Amino acid sequence: MLQFLNFDKCTITNNKLHLKQLSNFLNIVDNFLVALMTSMVPIGYFTGSIFFGKIADIYGRKPSIMLGMSIMIFYGILTALSPNIGWTIFLRFFVGIGFSTLPICVSLTAEFMPNKHRGKTVVFIGLMSSIGSVYTTLAAVVLLKATGWRWWLISCTVPAFLFLVFSKWLPESPFYLLVSGKDKVAKDAIFKYNKPKKDQLLKKSDIELITGRETQEKGQIKELFTYKYRWRTIALCYAWFSSQLLYYGVIYAVSEIIIISSHD
């Protein structure tokens, strides 16, 4: 179900291809506008990430994910209906804000799964991301020439809509529930999906036993840069920066090569 959160990331992959069609339709040749539209989703992602982490800590992982998904659907459809390049650029920014809830899915998964399954499950989310990319590419092949870029963008919102339909089966993070003082709800959630053996129930709390982690109070961002976590934080930030720089660099380069080749 979490694969549907990647639908707009896949849209970015083909952004320059469908943007060329849009530019031809609107008779726009300004490369700056082309680059700006390409950049608006990452800018929105950056902006939304500042706020959605705090929102997820206050109101929960599940509501934050559903809110982000609703934002992506709403502004994704509006983007498909945009009358000109200016509105398209503006609306894409809000699509990026909704997409910034994607890391919360990883947090929800990591907080819910027991130790022996956590790594495999988080990697599986990445696999679903690739499947989402294939879906969007196939939709582009079928719809771009047949119906145009507008219907293609609308088709990209279909998996997101299905996610909302089936989201009632998405559990809330037991760690969020526990630190929010909802011990009984947290215990019910963890036991619904993880059945421990009777001889495992020792002195530790049920949630700590199943997840293999100790529950703590809600932390603060500044704690990431304390002596205990400082170098780990720096290393992870650098790893994410490097991987995303290479990832999107290759994507944009390939799209540009395809566009240039079409003129030869």
Side-chain angles (χ1 to χ4, degrees):
M1 182 161 52
L2 296 179
Q3 78 177 79
F4 298 145
L5 282 175
N6 196 51
F7 84 99
D8 200 71
K9 183 177 181 181
C10 310
T11 304
I12 299 175
T13 304
N14 300 282
N15 197 22
K16 285 196 173 183
L17 297 180
H18 94 267
L19 183 56
K20 180 179 183 296
Q21 185 180 13
L22 172 62
S23 300
N24 291 338
F25 178 76
L26 298 176
N27 196 28
I28 295 174
V29 294
D30 192 335
N31 289 331
F32 173 77
L33 293 179
V34 174
L36 184 59
M37 180 175 171
T38 305
S39 303
M40 287 311 291
V41 170
I43 293 174
Y45 192 125
F46 174 82
T47 305
S49 298
I50 298 175
F51 303 103
F52 266 111
K54 190 66 174 179
I55 293 174
D57 284 340
I58 296 175
Y59 299 103
R61 312 311 192 223
K62 180 177 179 179
S64 301
I65 293 172
M66 294 180 65
L67 174 61
M69 185 63 65
S70 300
I71 291 174
M72 283 195 292
I73 294 174
F74 180 72
Y75 285 101
I77 293 176
L78 286 183
T79 301
L81 301 176
S82 58
N84 53 54
I85 188 67
W87 274 105
T88 302
I89 292 173
F90 175 74
L91 294 170
R92 294 289 288 173
F93 171 78
F94 291 97
V95 172
I97 289 180
F99 182 60
S100 66
T101 58
L102 178 62
I104 301 176
C105 293
V106 180
S107 299
L108 173 60
T109 303
E111 292 172 350
F112 197 91
M113 299 302 296
N115 276 340
K116 64 178 181 179
H117 298 304
R118 188 175 300 130
K120 292 182 293 185
T121 306
V122 171
V123 172
F124 188 70
I125 293 179
L127 174 61
M128 292 299 100
S129 173
S130 300
I131 294 177
S133 300
V134 173
Y135 163 81
T136 307
T137 302
L138 292 177
V141 171
V142 174
L143 297 176
L144 275 179
K145 290 186 177 180
T147 61
W149 64 273
R150 297 181 187 274
W151 281 106
W152 176 57
L153 284 182
I154 292 176
S155 73
C156 290
T157 67
V158 173
F161 178 77
L162 293 176
F163 177 89
L164 287 183
V165 171
F166 294 104
S167 61
K168 68 176 183 178
W169 287 286
L170 180 68
E172 181 56 275
S173 165
F175 275 91
Y176 163 76
L177 295 171
L178 196 65
V179 298
S180 299
K182 303 177 182 179
D183 296 27
K184 186 180 184 304
V185 180
K187 183 183 293 186
D188 291 342
I190 201 71
F191 273 86
K192 181 178 180 180
Y193 297 96
N194 297 275
K195 304 295 185 182
K197 298 178 181 179
K198 292 183 178 180
D199 57 359
Q200 286 182 315
L201 300 182
L202 305 175
K203 294 181 179 180
K204 294 182 179 180
S205 70
D206 299 325
I207 295 178
E208 291 175 1
L209 174 67
I210 296 171
T211 60
R213 301 160 115 191
E214 294 183 1
T215 56
Q216 301 175 351
E217 298 296 326
K218 293 181 180 179
Q220 298 179 352
I221 293 179
K222 63 181 181 181
E223 294 180 16
L224 294 174
F225 298 94
T226 58
Y227 178 78
K228 182 179 181 180
Y229 300 108
R230 182 187 308 151
W231 291 111
R232 186 185 306 177
T233 300
I234 294 174
L236 289 174
C237 287
Y238 179 76
W240 273 100
F241 172 80
S242 302
S243 62
Q244 294 301 298
L245 181 65
L246 177 61
Y247 176 78
Y248 287 108
V250 171
I251 285 177
Y252 293 151
V254 169
S255 300
E256 190 68 28
I257 291 172
I258 293 176
I259 293 173
I260 294 175
S261 299
S262 66
H263 294 290
D264 296 337

